[in-house]
Amino acid sequence: MTTPVTARRRTPDVVAEVVGRQVASLQDGYLADRGSAVAALAQLRRGAGKLPSDVPELWGTTGTEQLYQQLPDLARSETEATRAENALFLALTLYALHQQSHRTARMHRPGIELGAAVRRLSPGEEPDGPIRRRFVRVGAAATPDTLAHPLREIVSLLRGAAIPLDYALLAHRLYQAQTSDGMAEVRRRWGRSFHAHHPAADQAANAAPDAGPDAGPDAAAPASQSTHPNEDAS
């Protein structure tokens, strides 16, 4: 059964909004050393690089119910619901891994696309360098399960270098990557942000204030990285 068109078109935006609120709340709590947030991130890290079906012990801990509250018709489409759940779970658990041990720095920062973050890891690396090869493996993934592990490797590197990422935007991309021809568009956007990144953008990103928890990916992303592709999520 197909989800109504009105719901289908909203799903990736709702996924991004839910992830953005969840991550903002966890990040604030973790940086304030609130025990509940510290424990929640430790629990979520166990799912980093996996899919929700692989980690049943995390069911009920990721806020997935918020997707169904905002999209009441979502459960009518198995395909649509699975895409949304996978994207939310991957983004949230990868953020939990990324923030680990960073008690003063925010590893979720609006407006930072994956390709730009990776470029910051290796500004002078040769074309066949190890970081670029890992990034290529992310782009070459064709399914959520083959994408999850290389993304975990990239996020681990970003954590080590204290380079932030926009997790609401990542969730939007992860949803889109599961749609028909969506991965090709995501590859283009990740590749473009990798090639277009300039060191001066790092200073601007570091100086920019964080967006509020309800800010969607469009509010956060630069105009050159708009997150409203006109894809059909069928």
Side-chain angles (χ1 to χ4, degrees), residues 98-120:
H98 198 166
Q99 188 66 55
Q100 184 181 18
S101 301
H102 289 289
R103 293 298 184 133
T104 60
R106 295 176 179 270
M107 293 298 101
H108 163 63
R109 290 190 67 90
I112 302 178
E113 180 76 89
L114 181 66
V118 172
R119 189 58 179 264
R120 290 181 63 183

Side-chain angles (χ1 to χ4, degrees), residues 20 30 36 57 103 111 124 134-135 147 158 166 229:
Y30 187 79
S36 58
E57 61 267 30
R103 293 298 184 133
R134 285 186 173 91
F135 186 47
L147 179 60
L158 294 175
D166 185 338

Side-chain angles (χ1 to χ4, degrees), residues 28-170:
D28 287 345
Y30 187 79
L31 296 179
D33 201 25
R34 288 199 287 269
S36 58
V38 173
L41 287 179
Q43 186 178 31
L44 289 169
R45 279 196 295 273
R46 298 206 299 267
K50 301 175 183 178
L51 296 178
S53 57
D54 300 326
V55 200
E57 61 267 30
L58 293 184
W59 292 351
T61 67
T62 59
T64 303
E65 65 277 2
Q66 296 178 41
L67 295 175
Y68 295 96
Q69 291 168 4
Q70 295 190 48
L71 294 170
D73 292 324
L74 183 62
R76 293 172 55 190
S77 168
E78 176 69 21
T79 299
E80 194 81 0
T82 299
R83 290 170 180 165
E85 291 169 355
N86 285 344
L88 181 146
F89 186 89
L90 280 168
L92 199 61
T93 55
L94 287 170
Y95 165 73
L97 173 66
H98 198 166
Q99 188 66 55
Q100 184 181 18
S101 301
H102 289 289
R103 293 298 184 133
T104 60
R106 295 176 179 270
M107 293 298 101
H108 163 63
R109 290 190 67 90
I112 302 178
E113 180 76 89
L114 181 66
V118 172
R119 189 58 179 264
R120 290 181 63 183
L121 275 171
S122 57
E125 186 180 67
E126 295 297 323
D128 61 345
I131 292 173
R132 180 185 171 279
R133 289 201 299 271
R134 285 186 173 91
F135 186 47
V136 168
R137 283 201 292 272
V138 170
T143 61
D145 55 332
T146 58
L147 179 60
H149 183 69
L151 263 179
R152 188 188 194 283
E153 291 183 337
I154 289 290
V155 167
S156 294
L157 293 172
L158 294 175
R159 179 187 66 184
I163 295 172
L165 185 64
D166 185 338
Y167 277 89
L169 179 55
L170 180 65

